[in-house]
Amino acid sequence: GVDVLNHVQAEAKNRITIRGITGNNKFIILKDGIRISSPTGEPIMPVGDNFALYDVKQVEVLYGPASALYGADAFTGVINLVTRPITEQWRLDSNISSGEFGTYRMNFNIAKRVNDAFAFSLGGHYFETTASDLTKLYPQDFPLTDIKTFGGGVVTPLAARAPYAGDYSAWGTTAKLEVGPHLTLGWNQSMASNRISEGDQNTFTDYGGRGRNNTLLAMGYAKYSQTFNEHWDLNVQANYSRYEQLPESKFVNLFSGYGNAFKYGLGERLQFEPRVTLNLEKHSVVLGASYENYHAIPHTQDLGVPYDTSKSPSQQGQFHPGSAGLLPIQFFQLNYYNLGAYSQVQSDWTDRLTTTAGLRYDYNEDFHGTVNPRAGIVFKATEATTVKMLYGRSFLAPSAFQRYENFGSFGALGSPTTSFFFRIPNPNLKPEELQTLELSLT
């Protein structure tokens, strides 16, 4: 039920579809239960070698809006990367591999439990590839031609144009500290850098223009866990996560007139979440609440010079392409919050029959309240046969990118000023809602 299309979207690099619903922002990625994918749901988030698995013990996949625990925006599913436990024995792993198309992959991981009060894990990875030449694999789709403007003017003749380039690199670091029996501190950072023209036909882009997309994801967290007795557990976590499309990201293509068109975007989330678990003989009850505070600078219009991160959005002083310096670009900045509360009960009635029932309420400052129930029945008819019936509903607020994305250029200044093409912001864009009922026999 998962389809990955590579080399198809300039800024996201690939496009992922889960059970027929497309979007890199429709599912969330966790690491040991902490979100490491885009904090503000950017649909252009690359998902690839920036999410490395060198320190991961197992990958858990939950399809659909099947759990109340992970947020209303766990739309088409949740992917949880579970890291290897830290033991008293030293662990030092390293790996270097290479392959065709100039592909290299390197990673390392070191971990040690020093004593009952302190344990640590540290790792890093690097990946790069020049990628295969799509003009040779698909000559009909990537014909070699002169580089021309919309008006037909030749920017670069065929004999002088640069060859196809689809090089891509990714790197990241991760760290975890266990301090005493209750406190865990963690850090996860990754960056992806790809050609922003990746997948574009030769008639639309100049591969020699060095246009690139550089995306940074970072997350730091603190988690406190306490078991009071055989029945009660408390888990409190606080985390900060950041998505940034770095200022040097730029297009060089037909729509930018083959000049530099820089982009920038920022999304930040600060979350605090306490959770209590009650374990009874046949039932496990989870009660939790969540407060999330968001800050975002939505994906900008094409910029003539890189966004200056030392200045506020209102101080950028840039103008729309083709407006002869007369029409200033409007930069947006958003601050909003989300409050959530949830409960979930899992019951093991017999060795063969398990049920789950959950309810989640979220209040988004921009979109107000939403209630999302979940329910499931799992019956193990035999050792080899399992029947499941699952129901879930989820609510996906549009990201700042989707609400405020704007791009285009002006071809004539006058009264009125006209544009050949322009996409305007839509701050009133409504949320998406998903309701699933699933019956499966395995």
Side-chain angles (χ1 to χ4, degrees):
V2 178
D3 186 35
V4 180
L5 301 178
N6 289 308
H7 317 296
V8 295
Q9 193 168 6
E11 291 166 282
K13 181 175 170 60
N14 51 31
R15 185 177 296 140
I16 298 175
T17 299
I18 299 179
R19 294 182 166 183
I21 299 176
T22 300
N24 293 10
N25 63 324
K26 301 295 173 62
F27 59 94
I28 61 176
I29 303 175
L30 312 175
K31 195 167 191 176
D32 293 330
I34 310 292
R35 182 170 178 160
I36 59 173
S37 55
S38 172
T40 48
E42 307 306 311
I44 60 172
M45 177 189 69
V47 178
D49 290 275
N50 51 333
F51 292 94
L53 302 178
Y54 62 89
D55 62 336
V56 170
K57 174 187 175 184
Q58 67 191 50
V59 178
E60 301 172 338
V61 180
L62 177 67
Y63 287 100
S67 174
L69 307 182
Y70 300 113
D73 57 349
F75 206 65
T76 58
V78 178
I79 299 172
N80 186 31
L81 311 180
V82 181
T83 60
R84 292 181 287 174
I86 304 175
T87 66
E88 294 179 355
Q89 292 183 324
W90 277 98
R91 181 174 76 228
L92 176 57
D93 298 331
S94 61
N95 178 71
I96 300 176
S97 60
S98 64
E100 62 181 345
F101 307 124
T103 302
Y104 301 92
R105 177 178 281 108
M106 296 172 280
N107 59 64
F108 78 93
N109 183 233
I110 182 172
K112 166 71 173 173
R113 177 167 296 283
V114 179
N115 51 46
D116 292 341
F118 183 75
F120 73 93
S121 174
L122 179 67
H125 77 277
Y126 178 78
F127 172 85
E128 72 171 40
T129 182
T130 60
S132 53
D133 188 340
L134 297 185
T135 61
K136 295 179 179 178
L137 292 174
Y138 308 102
Q140 292 181 329
D141 297 317
F142 291 84
L144 292 172
T145 62
D146 295 338
I147 297 177
K148 297 181 180 180
T149 64
F150 274 119
V154 176
V155 177
T156 306
L158 173 60
R161 71 173 299 167
Y164 175 86
D167 50 293
Y168 166 70
S169 62
W171 63 265
T173 57
T174 183
K176 182 165 69 173
L177 298 177
E178 296 181 7
V179 184
H182 306 300
L183 182 63
T184 302
L185 305 175
W187 166 262
N188 198 86
Q189 177 174 288
S190 65
M191 179 172 165
S193 178
N194 64 289
R195 290 274 181 164
I196 213 158
S197 51
E198 184 172 15
D200 287 349
Q201 294 178 322
N202 288 18
T203 51
F204 294 119
T205 190
D206 178 10
Y207 287 102
R210 305 300 299 175
R212 298 200 70 83
N213 181 49
N214 298 303
T215 305
L216 178 70
L217 286 169
M219 180 273 294
Y221 70 91
K223 181 165 61 175
Y224 178 85
S225 302
Q226 174 77 58
T227 299
F228 295 102
N229 53 45
E230 62 181 0
H231 298 302
W232 290 98
D233 293 325
L234 172 67
N235 184 295
V236 180
Q237 71 174 37
N239 67 79
Y240 166 80
S241 53
R242 178 186 182 95
Y243 157 90
E244 188 172 16
Q245 186 177 21
L246 300 180
E248 62 269 22
S249 301
K250 66 176 180 179
F251 287 91
V252 182
N253 58 21
L254 176 67
F255 302 100
S256 68
Y258 294 100
N260 291 331
F262 294 94
K263 291 286 190 179
Y264 181 73
L266 172 69
E268 297 176 290
R269 184 186 71 150
L270 183 63
Q271 182 196 34
F272 177 75
E273 181 176 358
R275 179 185 300 179
V276 175
T277 303
L278 172 62
N279 297 301
L280 303 175
E281 182 179 355
K282 292 185 177 182
H283 311 282
S284 176
V285 182
V286 178
L287 300 172
S290 175
Y291 171 76
E292 298 162 300
N293 189 278
Y294 296 89
H295 170 249
I297 298 175
H299 194 247
T300 64
Q301 157 71 299
D302 294 343
L303 306 178
V305 297
Y307 184 93
D308 188 345
T309 56
S310 67
K311 298 179 180 179
S312 69
S314 61
Q315 296 174 327
Q316 294 298 312
Q318 298 207 41
F319 296 85
H320 283 285
S323 71
L326 298 177
L327 296 175
I329 292 176
Q330 182 178 5
F331 294 88
F332 301 93
Q333 185 170 216
L334 305 179
N335 293 284
Y336 57 99
Y337 67 85
N338 189 87
L339 291 172
Y342 56 86
S343 64
Q344 183 163 290
V345 181
Q346 182 171 317
S347 303
D348 297 321
W349 300 102
T350 69
D351 293 340
R352 296 182 180 274
L353 179 63
T354 300
T355 63
T356 302
L359 185 69
R360 184 178 184 100
Y361 173 79
D362 285 273
Y363 181 86
N364 184 290
E365 184 178 11
D366 287 341
F367 300 102
H368 306 298
T370 176
V371 177
N372 296 292
R374 279 95 156 125
I377 300 174
V378 178
F379 177 65
K380 195 165 187 177
T382 69
E383 288 299 317
T385 305
T386 302
V387 180
K388 295 181 181 180
M389 186 166 67
L390 306 172
Y391 168 78
R393 195 167 69 196
S394 60
F395 169 96
L396 182 63
S399 68
F401 173 100
Q402 292 166 307
R403 295 169 64 195
Y404 288 92
E405 184 187 24
N406 65 102
F407 58 88
S409 62
F410 294 91
L413 296 177
S415 182
T417 297
T418 60
S419 171
F420 174 68
F421 71 97
F422 204 93
R423 185 192 193 282
I424 63 172
N426 182 10
N428 296 319
L429 188 65
K430 300 301 181 184
E432 296 175 71
E433 297 181 9
L434 176 66
Q435 190 167 218
T436 67
L437 179 62
E438 174 185 346
L439 177 65
S440 69
L441 172 65
T442 304

